[in-house]
Amino acid sequence: MGEFGSFGKVLIIAGIILIIAGALFLFVNKIPFLGRLPGDIAVQKKNFSFYFPLTTCIIISIILSLIMWLLGRK
């Protein structure tokens, strides 16, 4: 298959990952609690607002780690 064959596989996998990520962005607004969990940091001042979803990031990281662990098992 050579170099181009393996590069083609990488491109296909990257495309599938991008399609899944795009679908998640479309449906993320349907989940009401996502982004508004206790532990998410929100600072609002007169002309400034800062929001960092710390707890949401941790939960998403745990879920993705579990998925990758399950897919990587043989």
Side-chain angles (χ1 to χ4, degrees):
M1 210 178 329
E3 291 180 26
F4 291 112
S6 60
F7 185 65
K9 287 181 183 180
V10 170
L11 286 177
I12 290 172
I13 291 172
I16 291 171
I17 291 171
L18 285 173
I19 289 171
I20 292 171
L24 287 175
F25 278 116
L26 286 175
F27 297 114
V28 76
N29 291 334
K30 308 270 190 224
I31 305 172
F33 61 86
L34 193 64
R36 294 182 189 94
L37 294 172
D40 291 346
I41 300 169
V43 178
Q44 294 181 350
K45 300 281 182 171
K46 191 185 292 183
N47 293 327
F48 174 77
S49 64
F50 175 75
Y51 180 72
F52 185 72
L54 183 64
T55 307
T56 304
C57 289
I58 292 171
I59 290 174
I60 290 173
S61 174
I62 290 170
I63 291 170
L64 288 175
S65 295
L66 285 172
I67 291 170
M68 293 299 179
W69 178 73
L70 288 172
L71 291 175
R73 283 185 7 178
K74 290 188 179 187

